[in-house]
């Protein structure tokens, strides 16, 4: 198991305690899709290392809507968990598996010890810089882009056939399903795509890209 983790996270090669010395803590666990791994407003119970699958990190509004911040895939780290452990504060978002996911949950105490290793500390600090750029782009999109632009941007680059629901898109965009459905039907009338049950077939990617850029 430690070899598989090191292949994805080579910065852990010199951490202390070593992966092989963690005992049960270093064992992976597998969770089904739609499993909540950590909750907004709660203390961080562990630092996730994703080996397989994906974790969607989002904030929940008072009206029940969700705004996706980012996704954690194998080899990547979770900014929200890192920030919570750094500052010993409650988590600012929640994390849910989007498919069957295998991961290792590192305890807060071990995470703190690992930060003494320069390679791991640099990895975490680099994560803050990368995610900050991502979140800045997200803030710009939410604050300055129209929803139709954001929806078009969410559709391009995902292939010609998208197997996802209108609610899934609404969750990604932090809006309500009805608004997404209305815009998708407008895109369909324009001849850019066709709609089916939890299926979107892209007909004109160029037009969607133009819409995404505000053209």
């Amino acid at each position: 198991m430690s070899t598989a983790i090191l292949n994805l996270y080579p910065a852990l090669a010199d951490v202390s305690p070593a992966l092989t010395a963690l005992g049960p803590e270093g064992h992976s666990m597998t969770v089904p899709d739609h499993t909540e791994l950590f909750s907004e407003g709660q203390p961080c119970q562990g630092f996730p290392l994703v080996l397989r699958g994906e974790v969607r990190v989002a904030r929940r509004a008072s009206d029940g809507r969700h705004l996706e911040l980012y996704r954690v895939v194998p080899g990547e780290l979770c900014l929200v968990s890192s920030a919570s452990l750094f500052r010993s504060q409650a988590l600012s978002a929640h994390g849910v598996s989007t498919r069957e996911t295998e991961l290792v949950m590192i305890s807060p105490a071990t995470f703190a010890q690992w930060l003494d290793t320069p390679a791991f500390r640099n990895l975490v600090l680099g994560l803050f810089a990368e995610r900050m750029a991502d979140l800045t782009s997200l803030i710009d999109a939410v604050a300055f882009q129209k929803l139709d632009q954001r929806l078009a941007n969410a559709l391009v680059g995902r292939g010609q056939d998208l197997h996802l629901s209108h609610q899934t898109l609404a969750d990604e965009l932090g809006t309500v399903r009805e608004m997404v459905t209305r815009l998708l039907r407008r895109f369909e009338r324009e001849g850019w795509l066709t709609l089916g049950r939890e299926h979107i077939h892209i007909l004109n990617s160029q037009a969607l890209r133009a819409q995404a850029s505000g053209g």
Side-chain angles (χ1 to χ4, degrees):
M1 176 54 63
S2 60
T3 301
I5 298 176
L6 287 176
N7 286 337
L8 291 169
Y9 301 95
L12 301 180
D14 298 318
V15 293
S16 179
L19 289 167
T20 52
L22 293 181
E25 181 186 345
H27 295 170
S28 68
M29 63 178 181
T30 300
V31 298
D33 61 342
H34 298 103
T35 298
E36 186 168 83
L37 298 168
F38 51 88
S39 303
E40 196 168 334
Q42 299 298 313
C44 183
Q45 301 296 326
F47 185 75
L49 299 175
V50 179
L51 307 181
R52 174 172 57 86
E54 181 183 70
V55 178
R56 176 176 179 264
V57 180
R59 283 183 59 85
R60 184 181 294 110
S62 57
D63 60 3
R65 289 184 295 161
H66 300 255
L67 177 61
E68 179 176 319
L69 301 179
Y70 57 87
R71 300 196 178 200
V72 185
V73 297
E76 294 185 351
L77 302 180
C78 178
L79 173 63
V80 167
S81 299
S82 301
S84 176
L85 293 173
F86 258 120
R87 303 176 64 189
S88 299
Q89 292 187 349
L91 291 155
S92 59
H94 62 276
V96 179
S97 59
T98 62
R99 64 193 72 154
E100 183 179 85
T101 297
E102 182 182 6
L103 70 161
V104 175
M105 292 295 283
I106 301 300
S107 71
T110 297
F111 176 83
Q113 289 179 285
W114 282 2
L115 287 176
D116 290 332
T117 303
F120 181 71
R121 184 171 62 251
N122 291 339
L123 177 66
V124 173
L125 292 176
L127 163 74
F128 275 92
E130 292 174 10
R131 292 301 191 198
M132 181 59 68
D134 293 341
L135 293 178
T136 299
S137 297
L138 175 62
I139 291 168
D140 287 344
V142 172
F144 304 119
Q145 283 188 342
K146 295 179 180 179
L147 184 58
D148 56 357
Q149 289 179 252
R150 294 169 54 212
L151 176 58
N153 188 62
L155 295 174
V156 297
R158 303 173 81 156
Q160 192 172 21
D161 288 286
L162 286 65
H163 298 279
L164 74 174
S165 68
H166 297 189
Q167 185 62 59
T168 298
L169 282 169
D171 289 344
E172 287 187 16
L173 298 172
T175 186
V176 294
R177 179 184 56 79
E178 291 78 9
M179 289 295 295
V180 168
T181 298
R182 186 181 307 170
L183 288 171
L184 285 172
R185 286 174 179 166
R186 194 191 89 191
F187 291 175
E188 186 175 40
R189 290 194 300 271
E190 295 285 348
W192 301 347
L193 51 81
T194 57
L195 300 173
R197 183 175 177 81
E198 297 195 358
H199 177 253
I200 300 171
H201 179 68
I202 304 299
L203 297 173
N204 192 336
S205 297
Q206 185 175 357
L208 285 171
R209 287 193 177 91
Q211 181 67 44
S213 63

